[in-house]
Amino acid sequence: RVDQLKYDVQHLQTALRNFQHRRYQREQQERQREELLARTFTTNDSDTTIPIDETLQFNESLQSAHRGMDELIGSGTNILQGLRDQRVTLKGTHKKILDVANMLG
């Protein structure tokens, strides 16, 4: 009988603690909800500003470097094409010289 009473008391204490915990959580949620509803929102402080000027300058520098690389690649492509054209011209000239040398003996 005593063991049964101890078990019942322990069970009731656990149920009471659970009930108190749920009630405390509910009160805390209501308090937080009221705080949010009562709060007046303002613009951001200077602490939360983003240094856009530095980021913008960095982005512009990257774009400038990107354009410079594109120009460098374009210039290299043009030089390579010029060398190919010169090779074709020199091959044609070489062939003509060999033809003339063969004709002359």
Side-chain angles (χ1 to χ4, degrees), residues 93-105:
T93 306
H94 184 258
K95 185 177 179 188
K96 286 181 184 180
I97 291 174
L98 287 177
D99 288 344
V100 169
N102 285 337
M103 289 172 90
L104 294 176

Side-chain angles (χ1 to χ4, degrees), residues 65-75:
H66 185 74
R67 277 192 304 273
M69 289 303 293
D70 283 345
E71 290 173 3
L72 186 63
I73 289 171
S75 175

Side-chain angles (χ1 to χ4, degrees), residues 72-87:
L72 186 63
I73 289 171
S75 175
T77 303
N78 290 337
I79 290 171
L80 193 58
Q81 186 60 41
L83 288 173
R84 286 183 186 136
D85 293 342
Q86 287 179 10
R87 179 176 177 234

Side-chain angles (χ1 to χ4, degrees), residues 5-98:
L5 286 175
K6 285 181 182 179
Y7 175 77
D8 289 344
V9 167
Q10 198 174 32
H11 180 68
L12 288 173
Q13 286 176 342
T14 303
L16 178 63
R17 276 195 299 271
N18 287 339
F19 174 76
Q20 287 174 337
H21 181 69
R22 284 194 309 264
R23 188 173 127 210
Y24 173 75
Q25 282 184 332
R26 196 173 334 127
E27 288 175 355
Q28 188 177 10
Q29 288 174 351
E30 288 177 12
R31 197 170 41 248
Q32 289 174 349
R33 188 179 307 120
E34 288 300 321
E35 286 175 9
L36 279 176
L37 292 174
R39 180 185 293 172
T40 56
F41 292 96
T42 59
T43 58
N44 291 335
D45 298 332
S46 62
D47 295 338
T48 58
T49 57
I50 300 171
I52 291 181
D53 292 337
E54 294 172 11
T55 306
L56 183 62
Q57 186 178 11
F58 181 71
N59 188 24
E60 287 175 357
S61 296
L62 283 177
Q63 286 180 352
S64 176
H66 185 74
R67 277 192 304 273
M69 289 303 293
D70 283 345
E71 290 173 3
L72 186 63
I73 289 171
S75 175
T77 303
N78 290 337
I79 290 171
L80 193 58
Q81 186 60 41
L83 288 173
R84 286 183 186 136
D85 293 342
Q86 287 179 10
R87 179 176 177 234
V88 168
T89 304
L90 287 175
K91 272 186 163 183
T93 306
H94 184 258
K95 185 177 179 188
K96 286 181 184 180
I97 291 174
L98 287 177

